Amino acid sequence: MEHAQVEAVPPERIRYRYTRLQGVLPVLPLLVVVGGTTVIDWMTLKRAGSEIAESLGTWAALLIVLLILGQYFGVTLTESTAIVHSLRHRTIQWSNVQAIRVENFQGARIVVIYEAGGRRTRLRAPITGFLCWDRGFEEKFHTIDRWWLDHRGPDWAPVLVPGAQLNSPPVPDGNSFASPT
């Protein structure tokens, strides 16, 4: 019996978003505090049942809205561009990208795209940190980096960004984003 072999076809696009856990965890402490005070008020008869239901319903609706919005933010990788989904869409051509790095920002590790003009774009997803932890962060970062390396084009060349070398050692190969060591 012959087995048909299927070649692995790379995807045309990849999308990274917040995980459901990342959408819930940042507001969970607030929900616990508000829910706890609401229950205490109910137990001490300071609030009527309808007021408690209204308060808990409002917080539940907020949680659902945050889960929905969390699915909007992120990045889509295509063959020619990275589409950054934030409050506004940004499309970045792979040929214009100079580096992709992981940086610390407000206690979290985020992916940052550096462009030839010196612009830095922080991605909202993937992200990992306290209350926004993502087990697959390293793998997602390496996928984005590999995607850029594979799709930036054969005529890509590093660009020296003006002012990028202030108070730093000389950069190898004229690439201001490369590590000096």
Side-chain angles (χ1 to χ4, degrees), residues 157-171:
V159 175
L160 182 61
V161 177
Q165 293 184 350
L166 296 176
N167 299 324
S168 64
V171 292

Side-chain angles (χ1 to χ4, degrees), residues 84-97:
V84 180
H85 306 277
S86 190
L87 296 176
R88 295 180 302 174
H89 276 43
R90 275 205 67 234
T91 302
I92 303 170
Q93 298 294 323
W94 289 123
S95 59
N96 194 35
V97 174

Side-chain angles (χ1 to χ4, degrees), residues 30-123:
L30 182 62
L31 290 175
V32 169
V33 169
V34 169
T37 57
T38 302
V39 168
I40 290 171
D41 284 350
W42 175 70
M43 292 175 73
T44 59
L45 302 174
K46 289 184 180 177
R47 289 190 185 183
S50 61
E51 290 175 333
I52 292 172
E54 181 181 328
S55 175
L56 292 177
T58 301
W59 287 102
L62 174 66
L63 183 63
I64 291 169
V65 166
L66 288 173
L67 284 172
I68 292 169
L69 284 177
Q71 293 302 304
Y72 173 75
F73 296 120
V75 65
T76 301
L77 312 175
T78 68
E79 290 188 16
S80 60
T81 63
I83 304 167
V84 180
H85 306 277
S86 190
L87 296 176
R88 295 180 302 174
H89 276 43
R90 275 205 67 234
T91 302
I92 303 170
Q93 298 294 323
W94 289 123
S95 59
N96 194 35
V97 174
Q98 290 297 302
I100 298 177
R101 301 281 184 253
V102 173
E103 295 181 1
N104 292 325
F105 179 71
Q106 295 181 347
R109 294 179 60 215
I110 61 170
V111 177
V112 180
I113 297 176
Y114 288 88
E115 297 177 55
R119 184 172 186 167
R120 300 172 56 240
T121 302
R122 291 187 289 243
L123 304 181

Side-chain angles (χ1 to χ4, degrees), residues 111-144:
V111 177
V112 180
I113 297 176
Y114 288 88
E115 297 177 55
R119 184 172 186 167
R120 300 172 56 240
T121 302
R122 291 187 289 243
L123 304 181
R124 290 185 175 245
I127 184 173
T128 191
F130 183 69
L131 294 182
C132 60
W133 145 73
D134 182 359
R135 287 184 197 174
F137 177 79
E138 290 295 327
E139 180 183 337
K140 291 174 184 177
F141 162 69
H142 289 299
T143 300
I144 294 170

Side-chain angles (χ1 to χ4, degrees), residues 9-14 77 79 147 151:
V9 178
E12 291 181 19
R13 56 182 36 213
I14 296 175
L77 312 175
E79 290 188 16
W147 194 273
H151 294 92

